[in-house]
Each structure stands twice: as C-alpha cells, then as structure tokens.
Amino acid sequence: MNHRVLIVDDSLTVRMDLHEVFEADGFGTILCATGAEARAAFTTGEFDAAVLDVMLPDADGLELLTELRGMPSRADVVTVLLSSVDEVADRLAGLRIGADEYVGKPYDAGYVVARVRQLLGDGPSRLDDRTQVLIVDDSMTFREQLRELLEGEGYAVLTAPSGEEGLRMAADRRPHAVIVDGVMPGIDGATVIRRIRLDPALRDTPCILMTAADDYATELQMLDAGADAFVRKQQNLAIVPAKLNAVLRQSSEQLPIEVTGSSHGPSKVLALTPDRLRLADLAAALQGQGYDVIQVADTGDALDLLTEQPVDCIVLGLGPGGDLGAEACRRIKEVPRIGETPIVMTGATDDDMLTCLASGADDYVRADSAAEALHAHVRTQIRRKQSHDESRRIREELMRRELDAAEERSARQLAETRAALVEELEWRNRELEAFSGSVSHDLRGPLQVISSFAEHMLDDEDEPLGAEARRRLSRIQAAAHRMADLVESLLILARASRGDLRRTEFDMTATTWSVIGEVEARDPEHKVAFTVAEGMGADADEGLVRVILENLINNAVKFTRKVEHPAIEVGLAPAGFYVRDNGAGFPAGKAGELFRPFARLHSAEDFPGTGIGLTTVHRAVERHGGEIWAEGENGRGATFWFTLPPESGPGASPDRRAQARRHG
C-alpha cells in the first residue's frame, strides 16, 4: 500500500529534503509552506501521516495539531512534530495534545521516514513480490552494474552507499539477501555482517561478501564474520547470481514466530545530565549515528517525558560530584516499565564506574572515550533490550499456543469422556429394559399365583376357615395386590423413560374425556364433577400424554374422596395445561418433593398409592422438553401445571424445569 504524507515546513530546504527521502521510500507527498496551506490540505487532501513544523510564519504547529486531532475524519492520521525548539516542556506539550512523535532539529531524515512507517504499523516494506536483494557498496559504478545484472535475473534490487545506510535500509525493508562490499568508508563489510547476525530480526538473512582482495586469509576472515558466501570482484560477475541462488536455497527456515523489532530500525535515545556542555557533547556524538536524541537536564523532566514517550536507551552523565547521576539512575529504575529501559552511564574514573553499576546502570563508558565507544555501548544495550523483549514475546506466544493446545486436548478428552458415558448410559438402559422384562415375567407370575390361591381359599365353602385364618389370608391377598400395583407402576415408569417419542398433533380435549371415562369406570360409586376445556390440542406423543393424564386425574380423584362435592378441572392457560382439584392439597413449600420416587406428603392409610405416579408424569413431561410444577395448600386443593412445547419451539422456563428435574 502506498501512503501519502503531508509535510508542513516554512523551510524550502527541509521540505525538499523530506520530500526526496519519503518519495524514495515509496510515499506520496503533499508539501505546504504555511499554516493556511496546511489548513486547506486538512480539508481537501488525502494523506495518512503529517509532519508538522512547530514554528510557522502564520501559525503555530501545536494549534494545527489541535485542529487536525479535532477532525473526526483525521483521527487515524499519524502526526510527527518537527522543531528546532527541543525543550522538554515543548515536547511534552506536543505529545499531550496528541502528537505520535516529536523530533528535534537537526533531524535525521532516514529516522523520520522509518519512524513514520513504524507508526503507520507497516510490516517490512517490499517493492513487490519478487525476491528482494540489498546491495551495499560505496562504488556507484559497481552498484549500478550489479543492479542491472540482478534485475535481469528477476530480482528486485535495493542499493545503499555505506554500511550505516545499508543497516538502516535492511531494518526497514527486510531484504531476502544482502550483498556487501568488504572495504568501505565508515564500517566495513565484515562489521555490517556481524551486526546483521546480532540483530534478532535480520540474523537469518543470507549475506554475500564481495572484495577485491585475492588472498586466502581475507576469505577466511570474511567467512568468520558470518558471511554465507564470498565473491571476488575480479571474478566473472555471472558468479554472483549463481551464489545468490545457492544461499537463498540453503537459507534456514524462518522462526515459527515472526521477529518484529530490529536494532537497526529507528531508535530514540534520551541524554540526561545537568552539565549543559556535556549534554551537548553527548547529543552530537549520538546524532551522527542516526539516533533521535532528546536532551534533558533535570531528572524530574526526564521522568515526565518518559511517561509520555518511551525511549530505547538512556545515556546518563554523573554530573558535578557524581551523586546526581547515580540518584537519577536509581529513581528511573524504580519506576515500573520505564525502569526496564537500559541505562548507559558516563564517568571519569573507576570509582565512578562502581558508583554507576551499584546504582543500577546497565553499562558504563568513560567520559574521555571516543564517540565510537559510546555508539558501540548504546547499540549493544538497545540490541540486548530488543533481544530480551523478543525472547519474552516468543515465550508468551509459545505459552499461548501451549495453552490453546491444552484446551484442545481437554476438549478432546471431554468429548471422549462424554462418549464413554453415553455408551455406558446406553448399556445401563439396556440393562434396565432387561430388568423390566424380568419384573414383568418373573414377579407378576408368582404374585398372581399367590393372589389366586388366597382368593380360592377364602371362597372355598367345602373347607371353611376360622376367623383368624381368614384375616391372615386377607392380608396376604391385599399385600399381593399392592405388590402387583407397584410392579405395574414401575413398568409404566420404565416405558415412560425409554422408547422413541412419536409426536403427532391430536385433540387434547377428546383424549382427556377418554381418560376420564376409564377412571370413572373403575370406580363408578365415587361421583366427581369433571370440567374439561374445549378446543385443546397438543403436538406430542399421545401415548405418553395419556399416561400423564391418567396419573394426574387418578391422583386428583384419590385426594378428593373426603370432599363432600369433589370437582376436577382440566384446562389450558398461557402458562400451560393444568389439572385442578378441590381435594386435600399438600403442605405449602413442599411442591418439589412430590416428584421424587416413593415420596409421600400424606399417610398411606388416608390416601393409599405406590408413590410412583407423579415421578412417571415428570419423566414423560421431561421427555417432551417441557416442565411440570405444582401449586397448593393443605385442605384447599392442588393444581398441577405442565407444558408440552412443540418439537421446534423454545424450551421451557429454566428455573421451573430445573426445579422439576432437581426434585425428580
């Protein structure tokens, strides 16, 4: 994706400098010299990032930033403030208004471009889908010659004139391979390769080192530096594509977790010391290496700034007497998150070194060392911190993957356990069916024999029995009848709990009157006033619904025997079907106990029964996905409610269904 950047600066030199570097990096640019032009661009221009000068002839950069942030359509625009005024208060003001970055002048153009790309959230910038090769050589003639050769082979080619620029470009573009000259001004090719090998994001990049030297020792030295291949410039250049193809083919696979940070990308360093001259020296030494340097003389200001804008490294001077720098180091290290920033301290003596390290500094450089020594220590600390962050990120990612895998294993084990439980449940159901058959055939037969013999002996007139013998035989016969009723109830419960559910739409009113007719036929002496609502229908298993109605109506008839004018009503309300009677009722608050097997809320002498009927009703209703509950009081009758939701309809109320199931 090609981004566009708005550049607002009254200096033509700055505008053109930034225009050239942004354009070279693939950005489109909009150039403005005044605040009025910037405001017009805010309204009409299309841009993803804005670089704003703080001091303009007709406007203030902070005011422009405030206006930009106040426009909803520009909420995602990345903003960078650019100013020669680099006091801490100005920097904090810009960051608090909403700037994403604040860069002081003199600036490093490469840093500005890389930082904008980083803030836009872009990954490594690639020209196209071709294999991308970076050529680092101080000879323009050789660079162009090699570019022409490789582009003819189908590669996309980047070029850099120095080792420093090559490292920055590698961090930004992440090429597939690097070809670097062995001898260059500044850092040489071997050093470039060593730094690439130390960079977490670049260390797997294949590197080919080229040199004009033809001695064997030089070749060994270059390979020891970490080069994957070695080519002499005096050889036929056709060798370069061949070796490049070989190293790309043999390159190691990338890490399973992508490494994001490069130690050669845009870095920000905070220089802190109360000594203004020393502060200027530190800034000058670091700016030459492409770092954006923030100069701060007060520890409190430094902490305020670090809260708003983290940096990659802190360079801390001891200052007069040495105590101030050590105290600043301790204060910084005590702050969460900020304290993880590496601190490089500078001092004059070995005693200063001990003081620095004891206060928590990560590294120490003597103040009289060359600038290169400071560069090396800062670069090392930034690399160490980035390696540590990458390692921690990789550990967290691996831990997350392990947790995901553990959850997957747990889900699989749970599914297997459920499958085993279902299989065991099916087996137990088959055993239950076998037991039911055994009850049907093995128990009912003997009970019928006992009952028949007792009845025959009681009715035998040829051999009359005494009063005591008749009483005992009557008790045997009654017990056999009760046992037979219990067996029959258990069989009905078993049938209600298993078998296929055969749903049909039927006339609930007609089925209810049919059941009432059967109940009245069994006890014609007990007169009950029945009322049944007209027009009731149901989508359910009619056989199971008959079981429900038989048990509920029989139950109502039983508990109205002691009422002078018994009445039973069967109807339908918005809550569901109901069977209401004016009989004995039951204790309030004990409705849930009614559905437990063999549960009794009244004595068996007053109201005999097996204690299985309501449990059977509960099972039958539950198989339809419905619910059943009871309402009543002692001596004031009872109402049993039940629902029969259609197959595609919503489930029942969770609380009532849960109650029925819990007590069932």
Side-chain angles (χ1 to χ4, degrees):
M1 176 181 179
N2 291 327
H3 296 289
R4 289 173 64 84
V5 58
L6 172 67
I7 300 171
V8 182
D9 200 294
D10 59 329
S11 168
L12 178 61
T13 304
V14 173
R15 289 200 306 275
M16 297 312 298
D17 181 42
L18 292 176
H19 164 73
E20 290 175 2
V21 292
F22 273 109
E23 194 174 61
D25 203 58
F27 285 83
T29 60
I30 302 173
L31 305 181
C32 299
T34 64
E37 292 177 6
R39 289 187 174 95
F42 288 173
T43 306
T44 61
E46 292 295 330
F47 54 92
D48 307 293
V51 179
L52 307 176
D53 188 11
V54 173
M55 300 179 68
L56 295 167
D58 62 337
D60 182 279
L62 297 182
E63 292 177 0
L64 289 177
L65 175 62
T66 303
E67 293 176 23
L68 186 62
R69 284 292 180 234
M71 302 172 69
S73 61
R74 303 295 187 187
D76 296 328
V77 171
V78 168
T79 56
V80 177
L81 289 178
L82 200 64
S83 177
S84 56
V85 179
D86 195 20
E87 294 296 329
V88 173
D90 299 300
R91 187 179 284 265
L92 284 173
L95 293 171
R96 286 169 178 168
I97 288 173
D100 296 292
E101 180 62 282
Y102 191 110
V103 179
K105 294 180 181 178
Y107 61 87
D108 182 282
Y111 173 87
V112 175
V113 175
R115 184 66 175 132
V116 168
R117 188 175 290 284
Q118 191 179 66
L119 290 169
L120 286 169
D122 286 0
S125 175
R126 293 276 168 81
L127 297 174
D128 49 40
D129 294 332
R130 294 178 295 169
T131 300
Q132 192 165 270
V133 180
L134 171 62
I135 299 172
V136 184
D137 198 298
D138 60 325
S139 169
M140 180 181 292
T141 303
F142 189 78
R143 288 201 308 272
E144 293 306 316
Q145 191 177 2
L146 202 53
R147 177 205 290 271
E148 183 179 347
L149 173 66
L150 294 178
E151 285 181 344
E153 295 287 334
Y155 294 100
V157 179
L158 305 168
T159 62
S162 67
E164 294 84 354
E165 183 63 28
L167 288 171
R168 273 197 291 250
M169 188 170 289
D172 182 39
R173 299 296 185 89
R174 308 285 175 87
H176 296 93
V178 176
I179 299 174
V180 58
D181 187 14
V183 180
M184 295 181 292
I187 61 175
D188 60 11
T191 304
V192 170
I193 293 176
R194 288 192 190 95
R195 293 187 183 179
I196 287 175
R197 292 292 176 250
L198 291 171
D199 192 311
L202 302 174
R203 59 188 170 203
D204 293 325
T205 306
C207 296
I208 297 176
L209 198 142
M210 301 191 69
T211 183
D214 58 0
D215 59 288
Y216 183 68
T218 302
E219 181 175 353
L220 291 179
Q221 180 184 356
M222 298 306 178
L223 293 174
D224 286 343
D228 295 280
F230 179 87
V231 178
R232 291 184 173 85
K233 287 187 174 182
Q234 52 268 43
Q235 291 177 311
N236 187 341
L237 284 184
I239 295 175
V240 176
K243 288 216 172 185
L244 179 60
N245 184 56
V247 297
L248 286 170
R249 186 174 60 248
Q250 298 168 2
S251 61
S252 60
E253 295 182 357
Q254 294 295 317
L255 284 171
I257 302 172
E258 182 183 357
V259 178
T260 57
S262 169
S263 58
H264 299 292
S267 298
K268 189 181 295 294
V269 178
L270 184 141
L272 171 60
T273 179
D275 187 338
R276 293 284 182 175
L277 293 176
R278 178 59 180 158
L279 188 60
D281 291 340
L282 290 174
L286 292 167
Q287 282 170 340
Q289 293 296 305
Y291 297 115
D292 180 43
V293 183
I294 306 172
Q295 302 178 44
V296 184
D298 180 75
T299 305
D301 290 344
L303 289 171
D304 290 341
L305 185 60
L306 290 170
T307 301
E308 296 292 333
Q309 184 181 49
V311 299
D312 299 290
C313 186
I314 299 171
V315 178
L316 187 58
L318 284 176
D323 295 336
L324 186 58
E327 178 60 25
C329 182
R330 279 191 286 269
R331 289 178 61 185
I332 292 171
K333 286 297 184 182
E334 288 172 356
V335 180
R337 190 178 61 82
I338 293 174
E340 297 177 6
T341 307
I343 295 178
V344 178
M345 295 188 69
T346 63
T349 66
D350 290 343
D351 290 338
D352 289 341
M353 180 190 295
L354 295 175
T355 302
C356 293
L357 297 176
S359 63
D362 298 279
D363 206 348
Y364 175 85
V365 181
R366 288 181 66 95
D368 56 0
S369 300
E372 288 77 9
L374 181 60
H375 301 161
H377 284 265
V378 169
R379 187 167 56 249
T380 298
Q381 291 304 316
I382 292 176
R383 182 172 62 243
R384 182 189 62 80
K385 177 65 164 55
Q386 289 177 337
S387 295
H388 173 74
D389 291 344
E390 290 294 345
S391 297
R392 179 167 55 188
R393 191 177 67 84
I394 289 172
R395 286 196 302 272
E396 290 173 354
E397 176 66 15
L398 291 174
M399 185 177 296
R400 185 190 64 78
R401 293 186 183 186
E402 180 60 31
L403 289 174
D404 290 345
E407 289 179 2
E408 185 179 346
R409 288 194 299 271
S410 298
R412 186 168 59 251
Q413 290 171 357
L414 179 60
E416 292 171 354
T417 302
R418 284 177 175 173
L421 289 174
V422 168
E423 184 178 356
E424 182 179 358
L425 182 60
E426 291 175 349
W427 175 78
R428 291 186 180 278
N429 283 335
R430 289 193 296 270
E431 290 291 310
L432 179 61
E433 291 176 12
F435 172 73
S436 299
S438 174
V439 169
S440 176
H441 295 91
D442 299 343
L443 294 182
R444 294 172 79 184
L447 286 172
Q448 189 172 0
V449 171
I450 293 171
S451 179
S452 297
F453 270 105
E455 183 178 0
H456 176 74
M457 292 176 69
L458 289 170
D459 295 340
D460 190 356
E461 296 179 355
D462 296 336
E463 298 181 8
L465 300 173
E468 181 62 22
R470 294 183 67 83
R471 185 184 68 79
R472 291 176 178 175
L473 276 175
S474 297
R475 290 185 63 186
I476 291 172
Q477 187 180 36
H481 285 158
R482 284 197 302 274
M483 187 64 180
D485 290 342
L486 180 59
V487 169
E488 186 64 27
S489 297
L490 287 171
L491 289 173
I492 293 173
L493 174 61
R495 286 195 293 270
S497 301
R498 69 178 192 271
D500 295 333
L501 203 65
R502 297 181 175 86
R503 285 182 177 270
T504 58
E505 293 184 2
F506 62 92
D507 187 340
M508 185 77 161
T509 300
T511 301
T512 302
W513 280 119
S514 174
V515 171
I516 290 172
E518 295 174 3
V519 171
E520 287 180 322
R522 285 196 292 269
D523 190 4
E525 301 298 326
H526 182 53
K527 301 298 181 181
V528 179
F530 286 98
T531 303
V532 180
E534 294 295 331
M536 293 189 299
D539 178 6
D541 186 312
E542 188 174 2
L544 283 179
V545 172
R546 290 187 69 89
V547 171
I548 294 170
L549 292 172
E550 286 173 3
N551 279 281
L552 291 178
I553 292 172
N554 272 319
N555 209 54
V557 168
K558 178 173 63 177
F559 283 96
T560 56
R561 287 188 178 279
K562 298 183 179 182
V563 177
E564 185 176 356
H565 300 290
I568 297 174
E569 179 185 359
V570 181
L572 175 65
F577 298 100
Y578 63 86
V579 177
R580 181 178 291 127
D581 66 68
N582 62 345
F586 55 84
K590 294 192 174 183
E593 298 181 18
L594 292 170
F595 304 102
R596 289 163 46 188
F598 308 110
R600 290 183 178 277
L601 300 183
H602 299 277
S603 67
E605 289 76 13
D606 292 335
F607 302 101
T610 62
I612 299 295
L614 290 179
T615 302
T616 303
V617 171
H618 174 266
R619 295 278 176 87
V621 171
E622 188 181 52
R623 289 200 63 197
H624 285 86
E627 61 175 333
I628 181 168
W629 67 100
E631 299 171 351
E633 293 182 30
N634 266 333
R636 302 187 64 178
T639 303
F640 285 85
W641 295 85
F642 63 94
T643 62
L644 298 170
E647 190 171 11
S648 58
S653 166
D655 53 340
R656 284 177 173 171
R657 183 183 294 186
Q659 183 185 41
R661 288 179 177 171
R662 182 170 60 252
H663 294 293

